[in-house]
Amino acid sequence: MEYAILFLPLLGSIIGYFGKSLAKFFSEITTSLFVSISAIFSIIVFWNGIKNNSYNNFVIFEWITSGNFTANWSINIDPLSSVMLVVVTFVSALVHIYSIGYMSHDPHKPRFMSYLSLFTFSMLALVVSDNFLQLFFGWEGVGLCSYLLIGFWYKKEAANNAAIKAFVVNRVGDFGLAIGIFLIFFYFGSINFNEVFQAAPQFIDKKISIFGYEASLITYICLFLFIGAMGKSAQFLLHTWLPDAMEGPTPVSALIHAATMVTAGVFLVVRCSPLFEYSQVALNVVTIVGMITAIFAASIALVQNDIKKIVAYSTCSQLGYMFFAAGVGAYHVAIFHLFTHAFFKALLFLVSVSLIHAFLD
């Protein structure tokens, strides 16, 4: 069942893309059906975890092996990933179904549905990872799908510009994340979450110097990881791509830029909380950036005229609340708000486009 949750959206993406000539609604029905089945299985896994404490790490295969270094491709089911599975698959299933009607007049709807399913697979690979390398694969996968979906209407110059802007701004954050992972591998000798978190107490007093500034190794690692989270979750200074991303079809905004991809940064901070707990400096930075973003983005939203941009800035603000909660150590509160926000913000986007169409008519 866990394998089906991860790979059904990938299978739907492939079949949906190449099956566009088989029947009129073949791609839409196939992708929606596969993601919906994945959502049902996710709810079952979530319930089994609550009721029976049924958590496990399913190793699919050894991805990279070199000496003592091993990186597996895994499906790691724990309380955090089981919550994220429900969020990603359930919202994605609703958006897939909504898109059947919304994109009905678009000649390239099979390609659109295929991209949505590919995004869902990438996000699932990110949340079920048990090591930083698989997480980075999913991280870059959702970035690629975001680029493809924002620029889906590639004949619109504004859509192309928005897609490029999102891609470039996210590269800044991804560079920080990559440096954080390099530091972890160089000093810890592993990129497996459990091994890194267990070894962390040994490095509390370890100091390193970067650009002439000496500080704790764990502080530097956490700060670089947080730069990656800032880019993906559109925090202050790296927030500029999110409002422009509204140029893509509205289901894209509902799925990627409200419910799932932008929450990857919050997920990363909570997943790495055993590291962040050893660096008060990093936690303070997370708190301050979250606080500034919450106030700053909400203030901008007050003077916007485009309903989708209002909701986009609202998303930035809500993500700031999540980071603020994580920064003060209330990780469970951050994830609870992430869970509720994913559903109500996706619905807000879908309702806003209904309003736009109603006024156009």
Side-chain angles (χ1 to χ4, degrees):
M1 185 160 60
E2 288 79 4
Y3 291 82
I5 292 171
L6 178 60
F7 290 110
L8 275 176
L10 177 62
L11 186 63
S13 175
I14 296 168
I15 294 175
Y17 189 83
F18 292 106
K20 55 189 175 184
S21 57
L22 295 178
K24 187 177 180 182
F25 290 105
F26 180 81
S27 296
E28 294 92 314
I29 292 171
T30 304
T31 52
S32 300
L33 179 64
F34 282 11
V35 174
S36 299
I37 294 170
S38 184
I40 293 167
F41 286 164
S42 296
I43 294 169
I44 294 170
V45 167
F46 178 67
W47 177 249
N48 285 338
I50 294 173
K51 194 171 184 181
N52 306 319
N53 199 32
S54 176
Y55 300 114
N56 206 345
N57 186 19
F58 303 89
V59 177
I60 302 173
F61 59 87
E62 286 190 355
W63 191 11
I64 297 173
T65 304
S66 178
N68 294 327
F69 172 73
T70 302
N72 295 322
W73 186 273
S74 311
I75 302 176
N76 182 36
I77 303 296
D78 63 5
L80 177 59
S81 62
S82 63
V83 169
M84 293 298 294
L85 283 177
V86 174
V87 171
V88 175
T89 56
F90 201 83
V91 174
S92 180
L94 294 177
V95 170
H96 272 75
I97 294 166
Y98 182 91
S99 300
I100 295 174
Y102 183 83
M103 301 295 287
S104 59
H105 302 297
D106 195 290
H108 305 293
K109 53 185 177 290
R111 178 166 60 90
F112 178 79
M113 302 299 287
S114 176
Y115 287 167
L116 282 184
S117 289
L118 183 62
F119 166 81
T120 306
F121 164 73
S122 299
M123 190 67 195
L124 290 173
L126 189 159
V127 300
V128 300
S129 58
D130 72 347
N131 61 78
F132 283 98
L133 194 61
Q134 185 182 336
L135 181 141
F136 193 72
F137 170 87
W139 194 272
E140 293 302 310
V142 294
L144 170 65
C145 293
S146 174
Y147 171 78
L148 294 172
L149 286 164
I150 294 170
F152 179 75
W153 288 321
Y154 54 86
K155 292 182 180 178
K156 279 176 63 180
E157 186 179 356
N160 285 327
N161 292 339
I164 292 169
K165 186 176 183 179
F167 200 73
V168 170
V169 173
N170 270 279
R171 293 293 72 72
V172 177
D174 295 351
F175 183 66
L177 176 62
I179 293 175
I181 295 172
F182 292 155
L183 286 173
I184 289 170
F185 174 61
F186 185 78
Y187 286 100
F188 288 75
S190 172
I191 54 170
N192 184 278
F193 291 143
N194 289 335
E195 293 175 8
V196 170
F197 299 155
Q198 287 171 8
Q202 303 170 23
F203 293 89
I204 293 175
D205 299 322
K206 175 72 175 176
K207 305 278 187 181
I208 63 169
S209 179
I210 297 180
F211 299 126
Y213 294 97
E214 187 177 71
S216 164
L217 167 66
I218 293 181
T219 295
Y220 269 125
I221 288 173
C222 291
L223 288 176
F224 280 121
L225 292 177
F226 181 58
I227 290 172
M230 283 175 65
K232 198 65 78 183
S233 293
Q235 293 300 285
F236 180 64
L237 298 179
L238 295 179
H239 69 283
T240 53
W241 66 271
L242 187 60
D244 290 357
M246 299 304 108
E247 289 294 336
T250 301
V252 174
S253 303
L255 177 62
I256 294 182
H257 308 122
T260 51
M261 187 185 94
V262 291
T263 61
V266 181
F267 169 80
L268 176 66
V269 172
V270 175
R271 172 62 81 199
C272 296
S273 57
L275 285 179
F276 278 85
E277 284 298 307
Y278 289 112
S279 174
Q280 190 58 48
V281 173
L283 286 174
N284 290 344
V285 170
V286 173
T287 305
I288 292 167
V289 170
M291 178 176 61
I292 291 172
T293 307
I295 298 169
F296 171 79
S299 303
I300 297 176
L302 290 173
V303 294
Q304 292 296 312
N305 296 320
D306 184 337
I307 189 170
K308 286 178 69 177
K309 285 197 174 181
I310 295 171
V311 183
Y313 278 112
S314 167
T315 301
C316 287
S317 180
Q318 296 294 322
L319 290 163
Y321 282 116
M322 295 176 209
F323 277 114
F324 182 86
V328 298
Y331 302 106
H332 59 295
V333 176
I335 291 300
F336 177 76
H337 187 43
L338 185 156
F339 187 93
T340 56
H341 172 264
F343 292 95
F344 77 70
K345 192 52 65 70
L347 288 171
L348 271 175
F349 267 111
L350 299 181
V351 168
S352 67
V353 78
S354 297
L355 284 172
I356 293 169
H357 283 279
F359 278 104
L360 284 175
D361 294 339

